[in-house]
Amino acid sequence: MRPLVNTFPLAQWLQSYQRSTFISDLLAGVIVAIMLVPQGMAYAFLAGLPPQYGLYASILPLMLYALLGSSRSLAVGPVAIVSLLVGSTIGQFAEQGTDTYINAAVNLSLLVGILLLLLRALQLGSIVNFISHSVTSGFTSAAALMIAVSQIKYFSGLDIPRELHIWEVFGFLANHTNEISQITLLVGFTSLFVLWFTKGKLCCLLQSLRIPTWIAQPICKAGPMFALIVGSLMVWGWQLDTNAGVSTVGSIPTGLPDLCAIRIDIALWQDLFVPALLIALIGFLESVSVGTVLASKRRERIDPNKELIALGVANLGSAISGTYPVAGGFGRSMVNHSAGAQTTIASLISAFLVLLSLLFLTPLFYYLPKATLGAVIVMAVIPLIDFSSFRQCWRFNKADALTLLATFVLVLVLGVELGILSGIGISIALLLYRSSQPHIAVVGRVGNSEHFRNIERHDVTTYNDTLALRIDESLYFANTRYVEEFVLAQCVEQKSLRHVVLICNAVNFIDASALETLENLVFKLRDEEITLHLAEVKGPVMDQLLNTAFIEHLGEGQVFFTTDQAIRALSGKQHTTVN
């Protein structure tokens, strides 16, 4: 039984499953399904695919994640950011609406799934740590803005080329103002109003009327469905598709997706590899971030390794279903949690209801206006545009704020893939720059205590013949020259020095280049009749040093257990008080 529980977290949750738990899961599953059907179709449009492919991505992938996922509340399926990445990637190789385009989307799902499972096999899930919060925030805000602007074509009824940049879209719009369909615009803004009213005012109204929560909550979360109903009735009632040229979804095939063999194209995989890796990393990062937040509300934890497997298998399920990649959605997951989801049974229920929609309800979507789907997308991504993060970063760390701003601008100018890669590159470059110039403090004794602090921050006592330096960084090839130059510069300024003590309590490792630099520093200081000593060396670092000849090269230099011992053993009676 234990191996089954380890492989399938759902098996553990079912051991204590009760009727009340099922009712909570049922309610959450229904609410998420009400959101998922319109969102799935809208996100498929965003990815450049027919609407049914968003529904296909909401069945088998959800079921597979429900069996393998470690998060009780994470709602996996089509998401805005991944849909944008899919559309911008495949649009470079194929034309929308063609079999080649759909086959590329399926191959992308398969490649994303394989990469996620490969990351798990190589235990490289921590690779997402190289995508800093600043890069993620800047990318997400820029991508959300791009998504919102891309929906202008559906609101205006204009055929705006997909490859245009944001500023070019507004220029195109200005040059074709007289061609904008006012009726289509009316349908789009009506849909936006319905979504806004349902999300805010309607919830307050139901609360004031003291409507039971189990009735009010589904209604409040059903804004996308209400928008679809209102938009479809407007088009059907006034025949806006024929009388005013309002673009609609049209006929959607009824029934299950074809679980067909995938046409693998190795040459295509070479083109898709980098975008697939980005989609895998971003999808995993978003899913784990949301799952961690929701799990903490229950005082639980999710297992990132199991999430890699669950998301990888879910994307393989997308490929088998003949559709595009999936991930954990922030908005739907929050709704799933707030609706009371206790286990992933809620996701199974959502998938089953989407399946019923495909089997019986697709004819009802014939008159669904694309402007309404655009409104659903806009309302979903607006909360992702977060300018407050820049202000917070600017107050705390201007370098991080500039990284966020640079990523935001580069995504808008260079495109999604090059933009986020550039942002990651900037983030790594800043990391290397910071570690290449580590903080080094000249320290002195605090009063008569055994504590030593920075002479620039505290009233301390220093000694004329002994210099104590605390290095607040591990030593490796990028920063050893800086450390060496700092030490030598201090020795030049203090002519009476006889001892230099390097305090290594913040040094976690020393690489070969740093070891060579330290040995050279020993000899350079010896030529100046100065002896180099070490203090507070950590055990693993000391083990490294003992495996080399460095201790012998120290000569008269010693390795002290504490800084206090070093200063007492080395310093003379002459001292200076620094205020």
Side-chain angles (χ1 to χ4, degrees):
M1 184 64 183
R2 193 65 193 172
L4 182 66
V5 171
N6 291 335
T7 305
F8 302 100
L10 180 60
Q12 178 181 359
W13 300 330
L14 289 178
Q15 291 177 1
S16 58
Y17 206 72
Q18 300 176 358
R19 180 185 176 187
S20 59
T21 309
F22 174 74
I23 293 174
S24 297
D25 283 341
L26 177 62
L27 180 61
V30 171
I31 292 174
V32 171
I34 291 172
M35 289 185 65
L36 187 53
V37 170
Q39 277 193 354
M41 293 191 291
Y43 291 154
F45 264 116
L46 183 59
L49 294 164
Q52 65 269 23
Y53 285 84
L55 300 181
Y56 296 162
S58 306
I59 301 175
L60 184 58
L62 266 72
M63 294 179 176
L64 292 173
Y65 180 84
L67 296 176
L68 297 169
S70 64
S71 172
R72 295 174 183 262
S73 305
L74 189 66
V76 170
V79 295
I81 301 297
V82 170
S83 299
L84 174 66
L85 287 167
V86 169
S88 63
T89 297
I90 303 177
Q92 303 174 24
F93 311 113
E95 184 178 351
Q96 288 187 20
T98 63
D99 290 340
T100 304
Y101 193 97
I102 295 173
N103 183 60
V106 175
N107 275 267
L108 191 58
S109 295
L110 180 61
L111 191 53
V112 169
I114 291 173
L115 286 172
L116 286 169
L117 294 177
L118 184 61
L119 288 175
R120 172 63 186 96
L122 298 176
Q123 297 183 350
L124 293 178
S126 59
I127 193 173
V128 296
N129 295 334
F130 288 96
I131 306 177
S132 69
H133 171 74
S134 298
V135 171
T136 303
S137 181
F139 161 73
T140 302
S141 296
L145 183 59
M146 292 175 65
I147 291 170
V149 171
S150 71
Q151 302 310 300
I152 291 178
K153 63 186 296 184
Y154 299 117
F155 279 83
S156 62
L158 297 175
D159 186 17
I160 302 177
R162 188 183 183 96
E163 64 274 8
L164 295 183
H165 291 96
I166 282 184
W167 57 90
E168 294 173 328
V169 170
F170 288 108
F172 185 94
L173 194 64
N175 294 331
H176 297 79
T177 305
N178 58 335
E179 300 175 22
I180 295 176
S181 171
Q182 296 182 0
I183 300 300
T184 302
L185 200 62
L186 175 63
V187 172
F189 277 101
T190 301
S191 301
L192 283 176
F193 175 79
V194 171
L195 290 165
W196 170 81
F197 180 80
T198 306
K199 186 177 181 179
K201 300 295 183 180
L202 182 59
C203 290
C204 295
L205 178 62
L206 295 177
Q207 187 176 7
S208 64
L209 295 176
R210 297 184 179 179
I211 302 297
T213 303
W214 66 274
I215 296 177
Q217 195 170 33
I219 295 175
C220 291
K221 305 301 182 184
M225 188 61 70
F226 288 144
L228 263 61
I229 293 172
V230 171
S232 299
L233 289 176
M234 289 177 68
V235 173
W236 173 76
W238 290 307
Q239 296 296 302
L240 299 180
D241 54 335
T242 56
N243 295 336
V246 175
S247 180
T248 63
V249 169
S251 298
I252 297 178
T254 300
L256 298 173
D258 294 329
L259 302 181
C260 55
I262 303 169
R263 292 177 293 165
I264 296 177
D265 186 343
I266 300 300
L268 180 63
W269 278 31
Q270 295 176 355
D271 295 326
L272 295 179
F273 179 80
V274 173
L277 181 59
L278 285 176
I279 291 172
L281 292 177
I282 292 170
F284 175 59
L285 177 62
E286 181 178 0
S287 302
V288 169
S289 299
V290 176
T292 300
V293 170
L294 297 180
S296 65
K297 295 179 182 295
R298 303 177 186 269
R299 296 186 179 181
E300 296 177 348
R301 298 180 63 187
I302 65 170
D303 187 339
N305 290 325
K306 289 183 179 178
E307 290 302 298
L308 276 173
I309 295 174
L311 291 170
V313 172
N315 277 282
L316 294 182
S318 287
I320 294 173
S321 302
T323 187
Y324 72 105
V326 297
F330 180 80
R332 285 198 307 273
S333 297
M334 295 299 292
V335 169
N336 195 33
H337 175 80
S338 62
Q342 300 297 311
T343 69
T344 51
I345 292 293
S347 292
L348 291 175
I349 293 171
S350 296
F352 178 71
L353 293 176
V354 174
L355 175 61
L356 292 180
S357 299
L358 266 173
L359 293 176
F360 304 109
L361 301 181
T362 52
L364 300 178
F365 300 137
Y366 181 87
Y367 291 102
L368 175 60
K370 293 181 179 179
T372 297
L373 291 179
V376 171
I377 292 175
V378 169
M379 290 298 289
V381 300
I382 281 179
L384 299 178
I385 304 175
D386 183 14
F387 293 113
S388 63
S389 291
F390 177 78
R391 293 194 299 269
Q392 293 172 2
C393 284
W394 185 261
R395 296 192 191 101
F396 184 74
N397 188 305
K398 290 181 173 55
D400 285 341
L402 292 175
T403 302
L404 189 157
L405 181 61
T407 304
F408 180 84
V409 173
L410 289 171
V411 169
L412 295 180
V413 174
L414 301 179
V416 177
E417 296 167 22
L418 288 177
I420 190 171
L421 286 174
S422 300
I424 294 172
I426 292 172
S427 183
I428 294 175
L430 280 174
L431 173 65
L432 292 175
Y433 175 77
R434 289 166 180 164
S435 62
S436 68
Q437 297 187 351
H439 179 259
I440 304 177
V442 178
V443 300
R445 186 186 299 277
V446 179
N448 295 321
S449 70
E450 298 180 357
H451 301 291
F452 289 78
R453 294 293 185 267
N454 192 332
I455 64 173
E456 296 181 1
R457 295 179 178 272
H458 302 275
D459 296 337
V460 295
T461 300
T462 60
Y463 297 86
N464 297 331
D465 59 348
T466 304
L467 175 67
L469 300 174
R470 189 188 71 233
I471 304 174
D472 295 334
E473 182 65 72
S474 295
L475 300 177
Y476 71 114
F477 65 93
N479 63 19
T480 52
R481 181 178 294 275
Y482 178 86
V483 173
E484 180 184 29
E485 291 177 351
F486 185 93
V487 173
L488 294 176
Q490 292 293 321
C491 293
V492 170
E493 293 178 3
Q494 303 182 44
K495 303 298 184 181
S496 59
L497 275 183
R498 291 295 174 264
H499 303 282
V500 173
V501 180
L502 296 184
I503 305 170
C504 302
N505 57 352
V507 177
N508 295 316
F509 74 92
I510 299 176
D511 72 357
S513 298
L515 179 64
E516 182 180 359
T517 299
L518 287 177
E519 290 181 336
N520 291 334
L521 184 60
V522 169
F523 298 128
K524 289 180 180 180
L525 292 178
R526 187 175 297 166
D527 292 340
E528 301 295 329
E529 297 183 352
I530 299 174
T531 305
L532 180 68
H533 307 269
L534 304 181
E536 301 187 30
V537 181
K538 291 185 176 180
V541 176
M542 194 64 202
D543 293 340
Q544 285 182 284
L545 297 179
L546 291 175
N547 288 330
T548 68
F550 177 77
I551 302 299
E552 298 176 9
H553 293 163
L554 274 179
E556 295 180 2
Q558 302 178 55
V559 179
F560 293 95
F561 186 69
T562 66
T563 306
D564 177 65
Q565 290 180 358
I567 299 301
R568 291 183 185 279
L570 301 174
S571 63
K573 295 184 178 180
Q574 295 183 347
H575 63 269
T576 303
T577 300
V578 180
N579 294 320

